[in-house]
Amino acid sequence: MIATLHGTVTEKLSDSLVIELGGLGYEVLVTVEDWGAVKQGAPERFYIYEQIREDTHNLYGFRTLSAKQLFVELLGVKGVGPKG
């Protein structure tokens, strides 16, 4: 399981970032707030929630541990999914 990623933001896509780390680029889905706060080319650290399903493998990134913990708690609410 991936717990954190610390690397350089190489691309800002519509709802995600590409974080380059050790020659690999990881696409990380982030909140609008986190997307706006980071600068392309800057080093950043994200706490990662990894979602692995039969048809998908997504990484959700949060700049603070408390934001990730809140996200995980919200996933426990019936009808709330990761993209919500």
Side-chain angles (χ1 to χ4, degrees), residues 37-53:
V38 301
K39 294 190 182 340
Q40 193 167 336
E44 289 286 343
R45 167 179 243 193
F46 287 91
Y47 294 92
I48 300 297
Y49 175 82
E50 189 173 15
Q51 178 192 48
I52 300 173
R53 296 205 171 153

Side-chain angles (χ1 to χ4, degrees), residues 1-7 19 21 24-29 44-52 57-62 65 68 71-72:
M1 180 185 315
I2 298 172
T4 63
L5 286 177
H6 184 247
I19 313 283
L21 165 67
L24 295 172
Y26 296 90
E27 184 174 0
V28 179
L29 297 157
E44 289 286 343
R45 167 179 243 193
F46 287 91
Y47 294 92
I48 300 297
Y49 175 82
E50 189 173 15
Q51 178 192 48
I52 300 173
H57 184 173
N58 292 318
L59 300 176
Y60 294 88
F62 305 90
L65 183 56
K68 178 190 172 187
F71 175 81
V72 172

